[in-house]
């Protein structure tokens, strides 16, 4: 298996975030195309970054920008698994690689938390965006009760280090958390491949 596809995506994202005049809208538009290209085929994600847990979803770091300008993550959803209602505090692009996931957006009101429109299902090859500007609170779940789904998430910061919130679905009360990653250190997927001697 070659990681050229992942390496070229990381290189393009690095060039994108280096632009000083980059707006959030431009970042979302340009990175959506890059993530769509990455998830257009399911032949590049290493098996060790696609392992589900029997009780909860996993978030594997694929690449963390050294300056924390972006992070690329695989989310591995076991059958029927879902997140709590949560936010991100930074822009993000989600691309569906394998299976499908259901995204239910929410908004905070004076009376608490309420759905912000209908849930939608992301299918392989499709992308969706989140940000504090366009809508940042949602709950995500595996669309299947009998198989694993995998999505690739790009965030405009190191999502494993960012303090953000989960929300009580009844009251809307936030609780702060930092997600971290399921893998302690990301493998060096962007390094040149070497042949055994």
């Amino acid at each position: 298996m070659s990681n050229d596809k992942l390496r070229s995506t990381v290189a393009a994202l690095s060039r994108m975030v280096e632009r000083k005049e980059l707006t959030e809208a431009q970042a979302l538009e340009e990175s959506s195309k890059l993530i769509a290209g990455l998830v257009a085929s399911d032949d590049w994600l290493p098996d060790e970054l696609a392992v589900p847990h029997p009780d909860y979803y996993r978030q594997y770091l694929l690449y963390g920008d050294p300056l924390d300008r972006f992070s690329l993550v695989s989310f591995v959803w076991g059958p029927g698994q879902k997140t709590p209602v949560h936010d991100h505090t930074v822009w993000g692009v989600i691309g569906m690689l394998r299976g499908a996931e259901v995204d239910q957006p929410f908004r905070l009101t004076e009376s608490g938390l309420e759905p912000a429109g209908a849930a939608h299902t992301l299918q392989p090859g499709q992308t969706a965006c989140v940000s504090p500007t366009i809508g940042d609170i949602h709950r995500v779940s595996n669309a299947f009760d009998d198989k694993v789904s995998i999505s690739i998430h790009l965030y405009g910061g190191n999502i494993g280090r960012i303090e953000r919130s989960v929300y009580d679905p009844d009251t809307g009360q936030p609780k702060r958390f930092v997600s971290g990653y399921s893998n302690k250190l990301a493998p060096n997927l962007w390094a040149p491949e070497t042949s055994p001697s």
Side-chain angles (χ1 to χ4, degrees):
M1 174 181 358
S2 169
N3 289 307
D4 290 344
K5 195 170 195 180
L6 179 58
R7 281 194 292 271
S8 64
T9 302
V10 165
L13 290 167
S14 297
R15 287 190 297 272
M16 181 190 80
V17 298
E18 286 171 1
R19 295 183 358 232
K20 290 184 176 20
E21 76 284 358
L22 184 72
T23 66
E24 180 184 276
Q26 290 169 326
L28 287 171
E29 181 181 353
E30 293 175 32
S31 58
S32 289
K33 292 175 186 172
L34 292 169
I35 297 303
L38 185 60
V39 299
S41 60
D42 185 4
D43 60 357
W44 57 268
L45 184 67
D47 290 342
E48 64 269 21
L49 301 176
V51 178
H53 188 278
D55 300 321
Y56 50 83
Y57 68 93
R58 285 185 157 170
Q59 175 175 288
Y60 292 102
L61 180 64
L62 302 178
Y63 180 79
D65 176 67
L67 300 178
D68 283 347
R69 296 171 297 183
F70 70 94
S71 54
L72 196 58
V73 180
S74 66
F75 271 70
V76 181
W77 309 92
Q81 292 175 353
K82 63 182 177 182
T83 68
V85 179
H86 65 281
D87 64 16
H88 310 87
T89 74
V90 295
W91 60 264
V93 176
I94 300 100
M96 202 69 216
L97 183 68
R98 189 179 305 166
E101 68 180 36
V102 177
D103 179 6
Q104 174 61 66
F106 288 89
R107 67 175 160 258
L108 280 173
T109 67
E110 289 181 7
S111 57
L113 204 59
E114 64 181 38
H120 61 276
T121 302
L122 205 60
Q123 301 289 347
Q126 294 180 330
T127 63
C129 297
V130 295
S131 85
T133 306
I134 63 173
D136 187 41
I137 302 173
H138 68 172
R139 179 176 51 227
V140 182
S141 58
N142 187 344
F144 299 101
D145 290 327
D146 59 352
K147 67 179 183 178
V148 171
S149 292
I150 299 176
S151 50
I152 305 300
H153 296 222
L154 168 69
Y155 296 104
N158 186 336
I159 201 67
R161 293 186 190 177
I162 295 171
E163 186 174 278
R164 47 203 182 108
S165 295
V166 293
Y167 296 88
D168 183 291
D170 297 320
T171 66
Q173 284 297 112
K175 179 180 177 184
R176 304 301 285 169
F177 80 106
V178 176
S179 64
Y181 297 107
S182 296
N183 51 337
K184 299 301 180 200
L185 294 173
N188 195 5
L189 298 178
W190 49 93
E193 292 186 25
T194 56
S195 301
S197 43

